[in-house]
Amino acid sequence: MEAGYTQEDLALRDEIRDFLANEFPADLRDKQLRGAPLSREDIVNWHKLLCTRGWTGIHWPVEYGGTGWTQMQRHIFQTEMAAAGAPPLLAFNIKMIGPVLYKYGSEEQKRRFLPGTLSLDIWWCQGYSEPGAGSDLAALQTRAVRDGDEYIVNGQKTWTTLAQYADWMFCLVRTDPDAARPQQGISFLLIDMNSPGIEVRPITTLDGSAPVNDVFLTDVRVPVANRIGEENQGWTCAKALLGNERTGIAQVAASKHELARLKRVASGISVPGGETLMQQDDFARRVAEVEVDLLGLEYSELRVLAAGADNPGPASSYLKIVGSGITQRLTELFVEAAGYHALPLAADAGDNIYPSWLDFAGRSAPKYFDTRKVSIFGGSNEIQRNIIAKAVLGL
């Protein structure tokens, strides 16, 4: 995909590669290689290191601290970061709430929140899903009742990723329970996670970790000044944010990195008959199928980015469907490659395929289980097919 690179593109690519070779912290690189979980400190320190280079607001307008990069330059950045195994930027800040703030927020809200959002001095989490409102998000029941210059919020959010780390939550609440259509009675609030009445409870997922949470809100007071846009018009912000989230779920650059690692691993595993796993017809065919689908997805993502990153439209649903499927297929192939080493208790014997192979292999099964969720969050793939059927095919 270098045919369209300008001299400026190549210079940026070389600058990013030099930065990763010399400034990517060794301990963080090792954690990424082993597939080990990152701490809050790991994520914040990496984000701030990128911020010192001006490389956090990669999609943001220059006037709000963005890079001013072209679509191709953004693609180069994401590709090079993923190829080096570097952690991604925190999507809640950069891909989700940031664009909502600079597009729909007041000037005061922009001044207050955008700098900290860009630098990760403010860590955001997403208050969307509820126990009875996941893919049918408009069915949410968390209530916000106006009381002078404040809202009193009561309800429960669930599957709130990394809420245990968050300083603030962008939250959808129902401000008009009698609206003709449920989407018309929703407002978009910014809620301080240190407010009295907020309780965060971890949820243990299939891989044994607890990255998601239930968030309970009991008589939480939120200033009206923390509402984005007009009352009962929050669905507009919600849709824009979800479009950017779904585009991010495509994970093209990360999947290219994982595909290269899968090929390297499979080429070092011997199987009966003197071949390597990568030379076996069935395994090689499935790897090739993923690679072809990933190449098609990459070109599709570039077309969506070229059309405008703040308004991906129904194409984001396609990216989400295909991208999440590729992510899941790659983890399935990794489990097959790891064999019995995929069991954490078995990852203590055998030949090293590359440094930390056994440690990584022992995490392949938990990662497989964890990625079952990617076809659900951001709006399930079934919902995305309905969006395509309605918005693209006119059904």
Side-chain angles (χ1 to χ4, degrees), residues 229-395:
E230 298 298 320
E231 187 172 276
N232 300 323
Q233 300 301 312
W235 194 247
T236 299
C237 299
K239 289 191 298 182
L241 188 147
L242 283 171
N244 287 326
E245 180 184 7
R246 290 163 187 161
T247 304
I249 294 170
Q251 292 290 314
V252 171
S255 290
K256 289 174 67 176
H257 172 69
E258 291 301 291
L259 178 63
R261 174 151 55 178
L262 174 64
K263 287 181 175 182
R264 185 170 67 251
V265 167
S267 296
I269 297 175
S270 298
V271 296
E275 295 182 325
T276 66
L277 180 60
M278 195 63 215
Q279 292 172 320
Q280 285 200 322
D281 289 345
D282 181 65
F283 191 87
R285 174 184 57 79
R286 284 181 288 150
V287 171
E289 288 173 349
V290 170
E291 186 166 17
V292 169
D293 289 344
L294 182 55
L295 182 61
L297 180 65
E298 182 177 16
Y299 277 102
S300 296
E301 183 181 59
L302 286 171
R303 285 195 294 269
V304 170
L305 292 173
D310 285 345
N311 186 28
S316 66
S317 295
Y318 163 79
L319 296 179
K320 198 268 182 179
I321 292 169
V322 178
S324 61
I326 288 173
T327 297
Q328 292 175 339
R329 287 157 63 191
L330 283 169
T331 61
E332 292 167 6
L333 289 166
F334 265 115
V335 169
E336 182 171 338
Y340 76 90
H341 293 302
L343 299 174
L345 294 179
D348 58 0
D351 297 327
N352 286 341
I353 303 305
Y354 61 87
S356 301
W357 154 243
L358 292 178
D359 195 3
F360 177 81
R363 300 178 193 276
S364 60
K367 189 171 183 180
Y368 164 82
F369 288 122
D370 184 58
T371 58
R372 300 309 95 191
K373 69 188 180 187
V374 297
S375 53
I376 300 173
F377 67 56
S380 72
N381 284 3
E382 290 80 4
I383 294 296
Q384 304 317 309
R385 292 184 178 93
N386 286 342
I387 291 172
I388 293 170
K390 181 179 179 180
V392 178
L393 303 178
L395 300 177

Side-chain angles (χ1 to χ4, degrees), residues 20-224:
L20 289 166
N22 296 292
E23 298 188 49
F24 187 3
D27 59 336
L28 189 58
R29 187 189 297 270
D30 179 66
K31 280 189 175 183
Q32 288 292 96
L33 176 63
R34 294 185 290 110
L38 303 183
S39 68
R40 187 185 197 278
E41 184 180 19
D42 288 331
I43 297 170
V44 170
N45 289 344
W46 175 244
H47 192 109
K48 287 186 175 297
L49 180 58
L50 293 178
C51 194
T52 62
R53 302 295 292 254
W55 288 352
T56 48
I58 61 173
H59 298 95
W60 291 24
V62 173
E63 59 266 33
Y64 300 121
T67 58
W69 286 343
T70 65
Q71 303 292 350
M72 183 60 75
Q73 288 167 340
R74 297 167 190 170
H75 174 74
I76 290 170
F77 173 81
Q78 292 170 325
T79 299
E80 294 300 327
M81 287 289 168
L89 293 164
L90 188 66
F92 302 113
N93 282 42
I94 302 304
K95 288 281 289 182
M96 298 164 72
I97 188 60
V100 168
L101 281 167
Y102 64 66
K103 188 172 183 179
Y104 299 105
S106 66
E107 291 304 314
E108 181 181 354
Q109 289 167 340
K110 293 174 187 177
R111 287 193 298 270
R112 181 182 179 188
F113 291 110
L114 281 176
T117 299
L118 189 67
S119 65
L120 202 49
D121 288 328
I122 301 173
W123 184 306
W124 292 91
C125 65
Q126 181 181 21
Y128 271 34
S129 294
E130 299 183 3
S135 293
D136 184 14
L137 185 59
L140 64 91
Q141 295 300 313
T142 295
R143 285 291 310 276
V145 178
R146 184 78 176 260
D147 181 26
D149 292 334
E150 295 179 314
Y151 289 105
I152 301 176
V153 181
N154 285 277
Q156 177 186 351
K157 297 295 178 178
T158 194
W159 308 122
T160 311
T161 302
L162 301 182
Q164 72 271 30
Y165 296 157
D167 304 301
W168 284 77
M169 174 171 62
F170 49 92
C171 188
L172 295 181
V173 297
R174 187 161 300 286
T175 43
D176 183 2
D178 301 318
R181 297 179 64 247
Q183 292 89 343
Q184 294 173 343
I186 292 173
S187 296
F188 194 104
L189 298 184
L190 309 179
I191 301 178
D192 187 340
M193 291 294 285
N194 291 314
S195 301
I198 293 181
E199 180 185 2
V200 178
R201 297 182 193 172
I203 300 172
T204 302
T205 55
L206 281 173
D207 65 345
S209 66
V212 292
N213 303 268
D214 281 317
V215 179
F216 296 88
L217 302 102
T218 304
D219 293 332
V220 177
R221 289 189 169 269
V222 180
V224 172

